[in-house]
Amino acid sequence: MRNFKLIAIALLIVCSFPVTIKLQNQTAPIGIRPQSPEGKGMVVLKAARLIDGTGAPGINNAVVVVTDNKITAVGSARSVQIPAGAKMIDLGDATLLPGFIDAHTHLIGRVLGDPDGDDSPVRDYESFGAILGVLHARDTLMAGFTSVRNVGAVGRFDDMALRKAINEGWTIGPRIETAGHTIGITGGHCDQNAFRPGVAQLGPIDGVADGPEQIRQAVRLQVKYGADVIKTCATGGVLSEGDAVGATQYSFEELKALVDEANKLERKVAAHAHGTEGIKLAVRAGVSSIEHGSFLDEEGARMMKERGTFLVPTLSAAEVVERAAKSGVLKGLRAEKALAAAAAIRHSIRMAVVAKISIALGTDAGVIPHGTNAREFFLMVDWGGMTNMEAIQAGTLNGAKLLGWDKNLGSLTVGKWADIVAVSGDPLKDIHAMEKVVFVMKNGVIYRKD
Ligand SMILES: [Zn+2]
């Protein structure tokens, strides 16, 4: 009897401890719902250097104090009062930075070069792209990208489901601002082409819309299902079948209707635009950013500067499609378009930097493998002639401004949310250091510590 009582008490004690699973450095109790992905308690991060994302000079021998999910002190070890009893993490010869921001991703679906990619709209199960998206989101976060703007997703609003799953803590990934379906003309870059009639016949809910009335409906439908931002295709594209990369697609009236409807619903518009004329139409219609901008000319650059339109150059995608064209992965018209756009963008990015257009880092991840996003920092310096500091700003504070999140994100500033990354070495000396991520914190929770 006594033994039985002891066993019962022991069982009770064991069962009252939460069962935990180890997820990187985060422990989440198993239950009907996982833990909220929000930091608790006080953590002090130390490293050899710090770059705060605002363009201010770096700080040596730096300290950041994180309380729960917020930054509560930043500075040199001498200037910051280290609170007694705080957990210390010394990252050694590393540089602390704000969480990186990729303003152009496609987390859902297969990646360029996947042999099943072209047939995926008809062969893959509807949820297949979303399952891949879970893995892509994890890879993106581990590469230091704590926020992304996801500008277009295949499937049925799987991007919204992924955003929700991450926000509730079921799976790990960056903060996601997402667009739902891209909105464009029938047969254009945002449509799915080269199938027989009846297959992939898309409508406004899928983002295929012609004329102002349908376009307004398409915007409303994306917003209805959760779009934070609206993405449109102002010109042809590289990877779509049958359209000319430089050709305009929507008319000015159509683009204007799209921007007006989006702005009325308090959403910004990102416009995919390669061709010279399409860039200008989109800028005049009032979009917030031009994506790619391959054939930008001086007049277009001036217009963007005057109106404060951002450029998201996606040099990584240009590099990858150029390589795919040269190696035969891309063939025919798509290969021709890839070579022409990649050659042009090397020129346009330099023009944009000289014209002092606001530039936000974007990779077109999905065209490039997810998790390799940080190479864009190097390309901005190497192709664009940006300083290392300018490239870092493009991938931190400028990105936050474009996403409309700069009040809480984008710099290591007291009061902002604790999205903090550390890279090995000094990225002001060698920009490739941005690719050597050793520590990732998002919202005060540590996801990576090598
Ligand atoms: Zn894209």
Side-chain angles (χ1 to χ4, degrees):
M1 188 66 187
R2 206 190 139 136
N3 272 354
F4 176 74
K5 249 190 188 165
L6 273 177
I7 290 166
I9 289 166
L11 265 174
L12 223 118
I13 291 168
V14 167
C15 293
S16 65
F17 281 109
V19 181
T20 59
I21 49 165
K22 192 88 177 139
L23 180 74
Q24 289 292 319
N25 296 288
Q26 189 193 24
T27 51
I30 296 169
I32 49 164
R33 218 172 142 133
Q35 223 168 26
S36 149
E38 187 170 309
K40 302 247 179 324
M42 196 177 276
V43 179
V44 178
L45 304 174
K46 280 181 70 175
R49 287 162 300 274
L50 178 148
I51 297 166
D52 73 2
T54 66
I59 298 170
N60 288 329
N61 197 10
V63 166
V64 179
V65 181
V66 174
T67 309
D68 299 332
N69 70 328
K70 289 211 173 127
I71 297 168
T72 47
V74 181
S76 71
R78 255 186 291 164
S79 68
V80 173
Q81 192 80 37
I82 309 271
K87 184 182 168 197
M88 295 278 287
I89 298 176
D90 192 342
L91 294 155
D93 183 26
T95 304
L96 289 162
L97 292 145
F100 307 157
I101 299 175
D102 189 334
H104 192 127
T105 67
H106 302 282
L107 292 172
I108 304 295
R110 296 181 189 258
V111 176
L112 173 68
D114 184 324
D116 292 326
D118 283 352
D119 293 341
S120 62
V122 287
R123 287 193 187 275
D124 282 346
Y125 294 99
E126 278 215 40
S127 50
F128 193 80
I131 293 169
L132 299 187
V134 170
L135 305 175
H136 298 156
R138 171 183 285 255
D139 290 347
T140 304
L141 180 65
M142 291 307 163
F145 286 79
T146 52
S147 299
V148 302
R149 190 179 61 153
N150 199 65
V151 284
V154 293
R156 272 282 155 126
F157 300 105
D158 293 335
D159 49 337
M160 314 302 178
L162 180 62
R163 179 186 61 193
K164 191 177 170 74
I166 291 169
N167 290 347
E168 289 185 5
W170 297 103
T171 187
I172 68 169
R175 300 171 191 279
I176 300 178
E177 176 171 310
T178 198
H181 296 283
T182 54
I183 300 175
I185 64 167
T186 297
H189 177 61
C190 289
D191 199 351
Q192 282 169 4
N193 306 318
F195 295 104
R196 65 175 161 76
V199 176
Q201 201 106 40
L202 306 178
I205 193 165
D206 316 293
V208 176
D210 301 301
E213 282 315 300
Q214 267 193 10
I215 289 168
R216 285 182 190 276
Q217 192 197 0
V219 170
R220 290 170 186 169
L221 283 163
Q222 306 315 306
V223 171
K224 170 183 164 92
Y225 291 109
D228 309 296
V229 60
I230 296 297
K231 163 80 178 298
T232 187
C233 290
T235 75
V238 170
L239 296 177
S240 39
E241 291 281 1
D243 60 341
V245 63
T248 57
Q249 295 200 336
Y250 275 141
S251 67
F252 175 73
E253 288 66 33
E254 288 176 312
L255 283 170
K256 189 81 177 69
L258 181 138
V259 172
D260 285 351
E261 192 62 32
N263 288 354
K264 190 180 79 189
L265 301 175
E266 300 186 348
R267 266 63 171 188
K268 294 185 182 186
V269 176
H272 159 105
H274 288 285
T276 314
E277 209 40 50
I279 292 169
K280 291 177 197 171
L281 288 181
V283 172
R284 276 208 293 131
V287 303
S288 294
S289 62
I290 294 293
E291 312 296 306
H292 319 303
S294 306
F295 300 95
L296 180 71
D297 69 356
E298 302 240 352
E299 189 192 21
R302 242 190 344 266
M303 287 168 66
M304 289 179 71
K305 175 67 188 159
E306 275 167 22
R307 289 161 196 252
T309 316
F310 273 81
L311 177 68
V312 182
T314 68
L315 306 174
S316 305
E319 184 185 45
V320 162
V321 297
E322 185 178 53
R323 197 183 306 142
K326 284 180 177 164
S327 69
V329 171
L330 288 178
K331 294 184 175 67
L333 175 65
R334 296 205 291 173
E336 274 173 41
K337 294 196 289 184
L339 295 174
I345 209 166
R346 285 181 168 81
H347 177 65
S348 75
I349 180 64
R350 291 212 168 243
M351 194 191 302
V353 171
V354 170
K356 297 196 167 7
I357 294 173
S358 295
I359 295 174
L361 180 148
T363 61
D364 220 349
V367 172
I368 67 155
H370 300 277
T372 65
N373 316 54
R375 182 168 166 81
E376 184 78 16
F377 288 106
F378 161 72
L379 292 173
M380 286 177 142
V381 171
D382 192 51
W383 292 15
M386 291 168 82
T387 65
N388 294 12
M389 189 63 107
E390 285 169 343
I392 290 167
Q393 271 181 277
T396 54
L397 190 55
N398 280 11
K401 283 180 182 165
L402 176 56
L403 271 65
W405 288 355
D406 52 309
K407 188 173 159 278
N408 293 312
L409 293 167
S411 62
L412 297 180
T413 306
V414 171
K416 287 199 180 185
W417 295 336
D419 283 15
I420 303 170
V421 167
V423 301
S424 172
D426 183 357
L428 293 181
K429 290 206 179 105
D430 176 11
I431 195 67
H432 281 298
M434 301 299 275
E435 296 159 51
K436 295 170 187 143
V437 170
V438 293
F439 176 85
V440 179
M441 172 183 273
K442 190 189 109 191
N443 210 31
V445 177
I446 297 167
Y447 291 92
R448 177 171 184 173
K449 186 159 86 64
D450 294 7

